[in-house]
């Protein structure tokens, strides 16, 4: 991490931390069930926040790696290091910089869209977790807030570790590609299967019961409780652990998917963070309309297979001029068709 990267990353983390603290201290003072309209408002607000960062990358994307100073050689080094599908040879610095920033912003937007789309599948699992453990809906928000906070930390470690491995062993991308194709095919085969979570036999529950002092009942919104001088974790904290465990499994699919779009770990991390920040609002919006998008899982499975194939053929695609914009268009088409089909051909309810 050079000086410019350290400054940009530190400012980014400071702003995100401030937003989360504001959310916790001001907007999350009371436990309540989030209605659809409120969830829609916050979802649109987080999307606007993310699009604002997209505009920042278009105008000042060089701040991440170069600061205010840079040369064509510096840009060519970044393009080569992170395999950006752009050409800057023979261009003056202002033009080369414009092309680089536009591509960087597109990579962020594409990665954000992938993460946002795949997070819907994660939301389905979260809903099952809350139902399986019998969590009161008014406490969903609190669990999701701390789950998001922990997810950001874990994603940071995951993304930058994966980036370092990819820089040293490029063949790892082919493993990621194969994993995504396998996951996509599996998701398609099981798309109509009614999944269930058994709270009693879940691996996290068995681990907590064996190694941690667990209080037997929920105690309102508390994660911990002290009884007779001894500190216990409550079932609500176990639910948080299960949510985090679920997100970790989900990250094994979603993070490699974004590495198919960009090798720049900062762009991968930023797109993940913005998608995660809006996850809580998206959860409360989707949970109200969860039965409408019957073909969304089909679309997500096709999306994963496409990204996996792109990873396996990235060298060939680069040679024929396949750009970040092409990836974005295909992803939008896949998601648009699955959502459109869901609205045009709704599931018929049994009489």
């Amino acid at each position: 991490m050079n000086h410019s990267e350290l400054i940009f990353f530190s400012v980014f983390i400071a702003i995100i931390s401030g937003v989360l603290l504001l959310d916790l201290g001001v907007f999350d003072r009371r436990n309540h069930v989030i209605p659809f309209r409120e969830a829609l408002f916050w979802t649109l607000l987080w999307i606007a926040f993310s699009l604002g960062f997209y505009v920042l990358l278009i105008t000042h994307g060089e701040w991440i790696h170069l600061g205010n100073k840079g040369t064509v050689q510096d840009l060519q080094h970044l393009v080569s290091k992170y395999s950006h599908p752009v050409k800057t040879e023979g261009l003056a610095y202002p033009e080369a910089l414009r092309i680089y920033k536009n591509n960087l912003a597109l990579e962020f937007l594409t990665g954000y869209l992938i993460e946002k789309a795949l997070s819907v599948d994660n939301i389905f699992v979260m809903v099952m977790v809350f139902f399986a453990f019998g969590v009161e809906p008014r406490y969903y928000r609190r669990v999701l807030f701390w789950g998001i906070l922990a997810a950001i930390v874990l994603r940071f470690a995951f993304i930058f570790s994966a980036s370092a491995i990819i820089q040293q062993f490029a063949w790892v991308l082919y493993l990621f590609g194969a994993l995504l194709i396998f996951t996509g095919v599996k998701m398609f085969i099981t798309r109509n299967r009614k999944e269930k979570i058994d709270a009693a036999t879940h691996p996290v529950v068995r681990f907590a019961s064996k190694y941690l002092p667990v209080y037997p009942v929920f105690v309102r919104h508390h994660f911990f409780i002290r009884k007779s001088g001894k500190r216990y974790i409550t079932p609500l904290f176990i639910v948080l652990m299960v949510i985090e465990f679920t997100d970790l499994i989900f990250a094994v699919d979603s993070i490699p998917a974004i590495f198919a779009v960009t090798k720049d770990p900062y762009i991968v991390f930023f797109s993940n963070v913005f998608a995660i920040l809006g996850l809580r609002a998206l959860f409360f919006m989707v949970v109200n309309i969860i039965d409408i998008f019957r073909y969304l899982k089909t679309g997500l499975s096709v999306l994963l297979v496409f990204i996996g194939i792109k990873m396996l053929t990235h060298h060939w695609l680069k040679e024929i001029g396949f750009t970040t914009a092409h990836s974005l268009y295909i992803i939008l088409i896949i998601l648009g068709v699955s959502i459109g089909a869901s609205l045009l051909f709704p599931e018929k309810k049994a009489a």
Side-chain angles (χ1 to χ4, degrees):
M1 186 178 287
N2 62 37
H3 182 68
S4 298
E5 292 167 348
L6 180 61
I7 292 176
F8 190 92
F9 191 79
S10 299
V11 172
F12 178 82
I13 292 299
I15 293 173
I16 294 303
S17 300
V19 170
L20 288 172
L21 289 174
L22 185 67
D23 189 8
L24 179 64
V26 177
F27 302 118
D28 200 27
R29 287 181 177 275
R30 59 192 178 94
N31 296 310
H32 67 291
V33 178
I34 309 298
F36 178 79
R37 283 190 176 184
E38 183 180 341
L40 178 61
F41 169 78
W42 284 108
T43 297
L44 294 176
L45 187 65
W46 283 118
I47 291 175
F49 191 28
S50 305
L51 292 177
F53 189 78
Y54 165 76
V55 173
L56 176 66
L57 291 180
I58 290 179
T59 56
H60 299 290
E62 74 277 11
W63 285 356
I64 298 177
H65 298 292
L66 302 176
N68 291 319
K69 297 180 181 180
T71 64
V72 173
Q73 288 72 29
D74 293 329
L75 286 179
Q76 289 175 346
H77 171 71
L78 290 173
V79 169
S80 175
K81 182 179 181 180
Y82 297 124
S83 301
H84 295 299
V86 297
K87 295 181 179 180
T88 56
E89 294 83 357
L91 299 177
Y93 181 69
E95 179 62 15
L97 183 60
R98 183 189 66 80
I99 293 173
Y100 170 77
K101 290 189 295 186
N102 286 342
N103 178 73
L104 204 67
L106 266 182
E107 288 180 349
F108 165 78
L109 186 62
T110 306
Y112 171 75
L113 183 62
I114 291 172
E115 183 70 23
K116 201 75 172 175
L118 293 176
S119 66
V120 175
D121 191 49
N122 197 23
I123 287 173
F124 292 145
V125 180
M126 289 179 180
V127 171
M128 290 190 294
V129 170
F130 285 132
F131 285 170
F133 284 85
V135 180
E136 291 186 43
R138 58 177 172 160
Y139 299 138
Y140 289 179
R141 184 169 180 166
R142 177 174 172 81
V143 173
L144 291 172
F145 174 85
W146 291 106
I148 287 168
L149 198 61
I152 290 175
V153 176
L154 291 175
R155 296 296 177 92
F156 171 80
F158 195 153
I159 289 168
F160 283 89
S161 297
S163 177
I165 293 172
I166 290 171
Q167 291 294 322
Q168 292 294 321
F169 310 102
W171 52 265
V172 171
L173 284 175
Y174 296 106
L175 292 181
F176 284 164
L179 174 64
L180 291 176
I181 292 174
F182 171 78
T183 304
V185 171
K186 181 181 178 182
M187 182 183 290
F188 180 81
I189 293 172
T190 62
R191 66 192 184 282
N192 296 321
R193 184 180 300 171
K194 298 296 182 181
E195 299 180 23
K196 292 183 179 181
I197 292 178
D198 189 342
T201 60
H202 194 281
V204 173
V205 175
R206 294 205 303 265
F207 173 84
S209 301
K210 187 174 182 179
Y211 297 105
L212 300 173
V214 180
Y215 198 68
V217 295
F218 286 93
V219 185
R220 293 188 294 127
H221 65 278
H222 297 295
F223 290 130
F224 305 95
I225 187 173
R226 185 176 293 276
K227 289 288 184 179
S228 303
K230 187 176 181 179
R231 192 177 181 85
Y232 295 88
I233 64 170
T234 68
L236 194 64
F237 186 77
I238 293 180
V239 172
L240 176 60
M241 292 172 64
V242 173
I243 292 290
E244 209 52 49
F245 178 77
T246 300
D247 182 75
L248 190 61
I249 296 174
F250 167 74
V252 173
D253 293 329
S254 65
I255 290 177
I258 302 179
F259 272 113
V261 175
T262 178
K263 309 299 184 298
D264 189 330
Y266 292 91
I267 299 301
V268 177
F269 180 70
F270 296 150
S271 59
N272 260 262
V273 168
F274 277 105
I276 291 172
L277 286 174
L279 181 62
R280 186 170 65 167
L282 185 65
F283 172 90
F284 289 106
M285 192 180 77
V286 170
V287 78
N288 287 282
I289 55 175
I290 199 168
D291 295 325
I292 295 178
F293 301 112
R294 60 182 300 208
Y295 292 113
L296 185 59
K297 274 212 168 188
T298 302
L300 294 178
S301 65
V302 174
L303 175 63
L304 286 173
V305 171
F306 159 69
I307 296 170
I309 293 173
K310 183 177 182 294
M311 270 190 158
L312 294 178
T313 61
H314 64 279
H315 284 301
W316 180 76
L317 290 174
K318 189 174 181 181
E319 289 179 2
I320 65 172
F322 193 88
T323 65
T324 306
H326 293 129
S327 294
L328 179 60
Y329 298 150
I330 292 174
I331 291 167
L332 286 172
I333 290 171
I334 292 172
L335 295 176
V337 169
S338 63
I339 293 173
S342 299
L343 297 176
L344 290 172
F345 307 103
E347 186 175 6
K348 294 180 180 179
K349 301 292 183 181

